[in-house]
Amino acid sequence: MVENSSQFDLSTILEVLPQPEPAAGVEFYDREREKALELNPRKRENFEKFERSSHLRNDVCDYLPKKIDFENVSRCNFRCSMCQVSNWHKGQRAEDMSLEDFKRIIDEQYGLVEIKLQGMGEPLMQGDDFFRMIRYARDQHIWVRTTTNASLLHLKDNIQKLINADPCEVQISIDGADKETFEKIRVQSNFDQVIKNCQLINSAYEEDGLVRTKMWVVVQKENRHQLTKFVHIAREAGFKSLVFSVTLTDWGQLDWRAKNNDIDAHDAFSIEIADELVHLGADMGVKVAFWSPGKKYSTQNIESICPWPFERSYISSDLRVVPCCAIANPDASELGSADNFTETWNGQAYRDFRRKHLSGDIPEVCQNCYE
């Protein structure tokens, strides 16, 4: 325990708090990664190249990314107050990613050991191709994580389809501990249906003897008074893991920086409050952790700069390459086309982007994540 913790800033507090781990455990994650590496000698060679180069960052990477975020849809049925989708016409930015394009990129990117299959939108809106994408990656033992608002799980046998597709982790966003708060933040939602759907999917996983879900709370002014209530909601809905995301991203856009800074509530946290939540969760069988999407990186040394440009990427639904999930919008920042991602990975735009991080000339879209 840190003494006089109320005097510490958020970065200091987060350093000593529990961090998110895979819902099914670190051993499961490591086991799946090893299976993926065993399937393809080129994948293992690429992974070992990355491991050797991770502390020697350069504008050119002699390896392919080990992780990619795939945005299968850039549309949503919610209009959440802190999300850039709420500004898009009819809640949609572009067409969906096709199953054929997804498979092609997965096959080309032999370095992948992990993907996130979701971006700015509700992935289940795509229908059965979403489940086919998960299954295609999982057949290669690629570790797959996805995020859903849970609003569509009760329809079209989606729960069983999702379980059959075998994602390694399903994050479910719950940003209010009662109907009024939830529906004020997650506009166009139905709190009662979402909680019922969480209970249904958690019960289904439990029947199969699996733990795959994680409840995710984006803390903000409208819900900061409900922190302990979220732990109770997690237990009632059948979650074994709960993560509090304690700051808001700005999507690399000045207007969103001003808007989300106004509703940010990271000052709701102290080590004492976090300890209370962790112990309450332990009493209820819920593992509580904390995370910040706006982690403050530093230009002081090479180890403290953002790792995304050197190990990971984000592909939008219309096959445009974006620096990271905290931007998640090619209209805000685009590094090239995913039609030939391998070429883009070490193309001039990516090299210039990496060089800016290495030199300390941080791009404007990234400055909110730096000290």
Side-chain angles (χ1 to χ4, degrees):
M1 176 60 66
V2 179
E3 295 180 0
N4 300 321
S5 59
S6 60
Q7 298 177 8
F8 283 71
D9 62 20
L10 179 61
S11 296
T12 304
I13 291 173
L14 286 172
E15 286 178 1
V16 298
L17 295 181
Q19 300 294 299
E21 294 182 351
V26 175
E27 289 184 2
F28 173 68
Y29 178 89
D30 291 343
R31 187 167 60 249
E32 288 302 300
R33 184 176 67 186
E34 183 57 30
K35 288 178 180 178
L37 295 175
E38 286 177 356
L39 280 177
N40 188 340
R42 289 202 302 171
K43 192 184 295 286
R44 185 178 294 279
E45 180 183 2
N46 187 82
F47 185 79
E48 290 174 351
K49 274 187 178 181
F50 167 78
E51 292 288 289
R52 289 193 300 268
S53 304
S54 60
H55 64 289
L56 300 171
R57 290 171 176 162
N58 203 314
D59 63 324
V60 175
C61 298
D62 67 348
Y63 51 83
L64 293 173
K66 63 176 184 176
K67 304 176 185 178
I68 291 180
D69 285 23
F70 288 87
E71 179 186 68
N72 66 313
V73 303
S74 55
R75 56 190 174 112
C76 192
N77 54 341
F78 287 4
R79 304 290 185 271
C80 299
S81 57
M82 67 289 185
C83 179
Q84 61 182 323
V85 174
S86 63
N87 277 0
W88 294 348
H89 179 63
K90 296 184 179 180
Q92 180 170 358
R93 187 193 57 78
E95 68 273 13
D96 295 351
M97 181 181 292
S98 72
L99 177 62
E100 291 72 22
D101 281 330
F102 174 82
K103 288 182 175 181
R104 173 179 57 80
I105 297 171
I106 289 286
D107 291 344
E108 290 173 356
Q109 294 308 301
Y110 58 82
L112 289 175
V113 297
E114 175 183 341
I115 68 170
K116 181 185 178 188
L117 186 53
Q118 185 267 343
M120 296 308 307
E122 172 47 46
L124 273 80
M125 292 183 72
Q126 188 174 30
D128 288 347
D129 274 356
F130 169 60
F131 306 118
R132 296 185 182 107
M133 288 176 177
I134 298 173
R135 185 70 264 172
Y136 191 76
R138 290 296 296 130
D139 283 344
Q140 302 176 48
H141 291 287
I142 294 171
W143 199 87
V144 179
R145 174 167 57 99
T146 190
T147 298
T148 176
N149 62 30
S151 64
L152 306 176
L153 288 174
H154 63 296
L155 303 174
K156 301 179 180 179
D157 200 28
N158 280 338
I159 288 177
Q160 194 57 52
K161 289 177 181 177
L162 186 58
I163 291 174
N164 291 345
D166 190 34
C168 302
E169 180 162 301
V170 180
Q171 292 180 187
I172 299 181
S173 303
I174 306 292
D175 296 330
D178 58 39
K179 185 177 180 66
E180 179 182 2
T181 305
F182 185 94
E183 295 181 2
K184 185 174 183 179
I185 293 173
R186 302 185 74 76
V187 180
Q188 298 186 184
S189 65
N190 182 327
F191 174 74
D192 295 330
Q193 185 65 65
V194 166
I195 297 302
K196 182 178 179 180
N197 287 351
C198 291
Q199 293 169 337
L200 289 171
I201 191 171
N202 285 325
S203 294
Y205 269 123
E206 186 172 5
E207 288 178 6
D208 288 345
L210 300 173
V211 178
R212 294 290 184 271
T213 65
K214 179 182 290 178
M215 179 170 147
W216 198 273
V217 176
V218 178
V219 178
Q220 50 202 281
K221 285 184 177 178
E222 291 291 346
N223 64 21
R224 61 179 293 176
H225 62 291
Q226 297 186 320
L227 299 182
T228 57
K229 290 183 179 179
F230 281 116
V231 183
H232 290 273
I233 286 289
R235 182 185 64 174
E236 292 168 11
F239 289 100
K240 305 296 184 185
S241 299
L242 163 61
V243 176
F244 289 100
S245 180
V246 299
T247 59
L248 299 171
T249 184
D250 64 0
W251 313 115
Q253 300 163 59
L254 292 177
D255 55 341
W256 276 102
R257 185 175 303 177
K259 182 175 182 178
N260 280 350
N261 281 350
D262 188 53
I263 63 173
D264 182 270
H266 70 264
D267 57 349
F269 277 90
S270 67
I271 292 179
E272 291 81 7
I273 291 173
D275 276 349
E276 178 185 350
L277 295 170
V278 169
H279 286 109
L280 178 62
D283 290 341
M284 295 185 175
V286 178
K287 187 174 184 179
V288 175
F290 304 88
W291 185 76
S292 171
K295 179 179 179 181
K296 297 304 179 184
Y297 298 107
S298 170
T299 58
Q300 292 181 353
N301 56 67
I302 199 168
E303 287 79 17
S304 64
I305 62 176
C306 176
W308 267 83
F310 308 93
E311 69 177 48
R312 188 169 187 164
S313 194
Y314 181 109
I315 298 177
S316 69
S317 66
D318 49 348
L319 303 186
R320 297 157 71 188
V321 179
V322 182
C324 72
C325 66
I327 297 171
N329 184 346
D331 294 337
S333 181
E334 181 178 355
L335 296 174
S337 171
D339 280 328
N340 189 340
F341 181 88
T342 300
E343 182 176 312
T344 296
W345 178 244
N346 276 315
Q348 193 61 52
Y350 237 125
R351 292 180 64 183
D352 290 344
F353 187 77
R354 293 188 187 110
R355 199 175 293 120
K356 283 180 175 290
H357 284 266
L358 291 167
S359 68
D361 181 23
I362 304 303
E364 172 64 33
V365 293
C366 302
Q367 288 181 8
N368 199 45
C369 288
Y370 276 80
E371 293 177 341

